[in-house]
Amino acid sequence: MNTARSGGELVVAQLEKHGVTTAFCVPGESYLEVLDALHDSPIRLVVCRHEGGAAYMADADARLTGGVGVCLVTRGPGASNALVALHTAWQDRVPLLLFVGLIPRGERDREAFQEFDLARTFGASAKSVLTIDRAGRIPELLAQAFLIARSGRPGPVVVGLPEDMLRDAVEVGDGEPFPLPRTAIGADQANSVADLIADARRPLVVLGGSPWEPGAAALIRQWAENWELPVVTDFRHQDLLDNESASYAGFLGFGRDEETARALADADVVIAVGTPLGDVASDGWSLVRPDAAVVSVLPDPEGHAAIHRPRYRFLATPAAFAGAMVATSPPDERPWAARTRELRERFEWYRTPQPVDDRLDLGIAMAELQKRLPADAVVTFGAGNHALWAQRYLSYRTYPAQLAPRNGSMGYGVPAAVAAAIRHPRRRVVSVAGDGCFLMNGQEFATAVAEGAAPVIIVVSNGMYGTIRQHQALRHPGRESGTRLVNPDFAAYARAFGGHGELVEETGQVGPALDRAFAAGLPAIVELRIDGARIAPETTLDDLRK
């Protein structure tokens, strides 16, 4: 016989039932019953300083664990603050549950304090938006929410919790998690792909999207190396293949090497695993040849961005595809193998910094950082030109190792690093942030201090919104407008919160500053203060003005 439990107790019981071990929140009076139930729960509740930061942390936690990230916020302004992370989770295909405390049911449609329309607010950025009006349906509806978030194309689900519903006491059992639908690729289908590659001259494998898992990444590596196939990754998916693999040939999207883009444009067979080859990877869908044989592997039937007509399209996860392909045997003759070696050599050159005549050389700074990163390090960053150095010069060895938004969302890197350091306290966690990106969610440095987490944040400080300044210099030279920043002393900022701070202004200071930051055992900020002239690894503002 079931014992009567409040709606709040039922919500927490279902989170436990579905394997949630960590949740992120900004507290609100609209869901006090959930907070009360969490008091006695084994779930670790991380209290954040802003709803956007909290939801980014839940997003990052989901990427790290392969599970569903959980964030709790209050209605109206609180929920609205979390919308930026919902858009990120939607475009980046990350399973996330956003719980929103709502006004009492009897006060709806009267413009009550903090009332807002959940479905209209989040409908375009979530797989599903639901409001639970009856406490007895909490187990059923949350089981559905977890399934929706993880199945097919993963993504965010928003769950509304009316304040008074959470106080209702009902007798109902816990819901059982739904098993994910299985996908499979048969031996005949795998052999069809193998035959297609065997007849090719310039095949290329492109990895991206989701859902991925460490086992799938390992099998893809085994298959690619056995066949001597070149592999490139979609934008900010660089950790899907160990960057030290002989098959790894670079990444597509912003900051790429042009030779990597040419490899896609020249390919006669393109095997796209998990990625629809969208506009960022393929230059507005222009790089893939019309006569190229495309093999598309996607977990959902929609694939709105997949406009290239495929020779084969498999409704499958990367794990299912990798498991089938690793069982195939490569032909004796592999005419593409020489091209694989050429692309690999080019990538080795591209990721090696060439010294420049700057007082603080960011390429060499990244090389110093790389020396101090173990194979299982986690690197996070947000959006902006600062990320170009982290993408190009750092090596990603273990999946998952790179946490970065693919929708160009600034402010992601710091909360993602905090979440990673909480989830994996023994892994070295580093965030590379621009000064503009850092201060969008820099307050979550306080969350790291509160949680005893110790990420090291590298702040590239140049006093500008660098990406927009770059576009201005190209389109409106000599007419800078709206991009200038005034910054604090970031090292002092870190110390003010009880963390470790370092200011670096010359290349020779980078290594010792990093050593001190990593040895401190505290959350740390290392400010790399540059003059702003160099806008990208090989580009200065003067270059753009010419």
Side-chain angles (χ1 to χ4, degrees):
M1 184 172 178
N2 297 312
T3 303
R5 291 177 287 179
S6 71
E9 291 173 316
L10 282 169
V11 168
V12 173
Q14 305 325 298
L15 296 183
E16 295 174 7
K17 191 77 174 178
H18 285 78
V20 175
T21 60
T22 305
F24 304 87
C25 83
V26 173
E29 69 273 22
S30 60
Y31 67 97
L32 285 179
E33 303 307 315
V34 176
L35 291 172
D36 183 69
L38 284 165
H39 182 275
D40 300 318
S41 171
I43 294 173
R44 181 176 184 175
L45 183 63
V46 178
V47 180
C48 306
R49 308 308 291 264
H50 188 272
E51 291 86 357
Y56 276 145
M57 288 190 203
D59 173 290
D61 195 57
R63 298 181 198 228
L64 284 167
T65 64
V68 178
V70 172
C71 180
L72 303 104
V73 300
T74 197
R75 58 207 176 200
S80 299
N81 282 340
L83 180 57
V84 61
L86 262 289
H87 184 264
T88 301
W90 169 254
Q91 287 222 313
D92 289 11
R93 303 170 180 237
V94 178
L96 175 70
L97 287 192
L98 178 70
F99 289 92
V100 181
L102 297 177
I103 63 170
R105 290 164 289 186
E107 297 180 6
R108 287 181 188 155
D109 303 319
R110 294 177 175 175
E111 201 171 336
F113 177 65
Q114 295 185 338
E115 180 178 6
F116 78 127
D117 190 312
L118 202 66
R120 289 175 64 189
T121 302
F122 293 107
S125 297
K127 289 187 70 177
S128 179
V129 179
L130 60 98
T131 296
I132 305 178
D133 279 333
R134 294 168 53 195
R137 296 195 66 191
I138 287 174
E140 167 203 347
L141 293 177
L142 289 191
Q144 290 181 12
F146 274 93
L147 177 65
I148 293 168
R150 296 182 62 201
S151 60
R153 169 192 169 136
V157 174
V158 179
V159 181
L161 304 172
E163 178 181 338
D164 58 331
M165 181 277 295
L166 292 173
R167 293 193 292 267
D168 291 346
V170 295
E171 294 183 8
V172 65
D174 294 328
E176 292 295 328
F178 287 109
L180 282 178
R182 290 183 174 272
T183 62
I185 292 181
D188 289 345
Q189 294 170 310
N191 287 331
S192 296
V193 177
D195 291 342
L196 188 66
I197 298 171
D199 291 337
R201 304 292 298 180
R202 296 177 304 281
L204 185 70
V205 180
V206 185
L207 308 180
S210 68
W212 281 86
E213 56 193 63
L219 287 174
I220 283 286
R221 177 179 184 177
Q222 182 181 342
W223 168 59
E225 291 181 350
N226 191 33
W227 280 68
E228 297 185 90
L229 290 167
V231 178
V232 299
T233 51
D234 202 343
F235 181 53
R236 294 186 168 178
H237 285 282
Q238 291 164 255
D239 54 351
L240 288 178
L241 186 67
D242 185 341
N243 291 185
E244 302 307 313
S245 168
S247 283
Y248 187 67
F251 60 93
L252 296 166
F254 306 123
R256 73 188 181 201
D257 179 14
E258 289 306 309
E259 191 63 27
T260 308
R262 192 172 298 113
L264 178 58
D266 291 342
D268 53 1
V269 170
V270 179
I271 302 97
V273 185
T275 172
L277 293 175
D279 59 324
V280 175
S282 64
D283 279 11
W285 300 279
S286 67
L287 287 179
V288 179
R289 289 169 33 183
D291 62 342
V294 176
V295 177
S296 176
V297 182
L298 292 171
D300 63 290
E302 295 180 356
H304 296 298
I307 71 169
H308 307 288
R309 184 174 181 83
R311 179 75 59 87
Y312 299 114
R313 182 168 184 179
F314 301 120
L315 187 63
T317 62
F321 179 79
M325 295 310 301
V326 79
T328 61
S329 298
D332 293 334
E333 297 294 327
R334 295 165 224 168
W336 58 81
R339 177 62 170 155
T340 300
R341 290 189 290 271
E342 290 174 2
L343 289 170
R344 177 65 193 179
E345 289 172 4
R346 171 72 184 200
F347 169 71
E348 291 282 8
W349 170 84
Y350 189 69
R351 71 172 181 173
T352 302
Q354 306 300 315
V356 296
D357 188 23
D358 292 345
R359 186 182 180 196
L360 202 171
D361 185 332
L362 287 179
I364 301 303
M366 291 299 111
E368 288 293 324
L369 176 58
Q370 180 60 49
K371 291 177 187 176
R372 292 160 174 81
L373 295 183
D376 67 345
V378 178
V379 178
T380 79
F381 43 89
N385 273 24
H386 66 275
L388 298 176
W389 279 270
Q391 290 175 186
R392 179 167 176 173
Y393 297 125
L394 298 184
S395 185
Y396 303 91
R397 304 292 313 280
T398 305
Y399 180 80
Q402 184 184 71
L403 304 180
R406 290 140 203 155
N407 70 332
S409 186
M410 295 181 68
Y412 181 90
V414 173
V418 175
I422 290 171
R423 175 61 66 179
H424 294 297
R426 292 181 175 82
R427 292 175 71 175
R428 183 156 285 183
V429 177
V430 174
S431 184
V432 179
D435 43 8
C437 196
F438 175 87
L439 279 178
M440 288 194 176
N441 273 311
Q443 75 282 346
E444 300 305 343
F445 193 84
T447 304
V449 174
E451 294 292 327
V456 173
I457 317 296
I458 313 297
V459 178
V460 179
S461 176
N462 62 3
M464 69 175 77
Y465 285 117
T467 303
I468 310 307
R469 179 72 67 84
Q470 179 177 350
H471 288 298
Q472 283 181 334
L474 287 168
R475 296 181 59 182
H476 303 287
R479 293 176 58 81
E480 180 272 327
S481 176
T483 55
R484 190 170 302 170
L485 297 175
V486 175
N487 289 323
D489 180 329
F490 288 103
Y493 181 97
R495 291 191 290 269
F497 283 99
H500 180 86
E502 296 277 349
L503 171 62
V504 174
E505 297 180 286
E506 298 180 4
T507 305
Q509 299 171 347
V510 174
L514 290 173
D515 288 337
R516 291 189 294 270
F518 287 128
L522 297 169
I525 294 175
V526 179
E527 178 183 356
L528 304 182
R529 191 175 294 174
I530 59 177
D531 63 12
R534 188 165 300 280
I535 208 74
E538 296 174 343
T539 308
T540 67
L541 285 171
D542 286 340
D543 295 331
L544 296 173
R545 297 185 186 109
K546 293 177 182 177

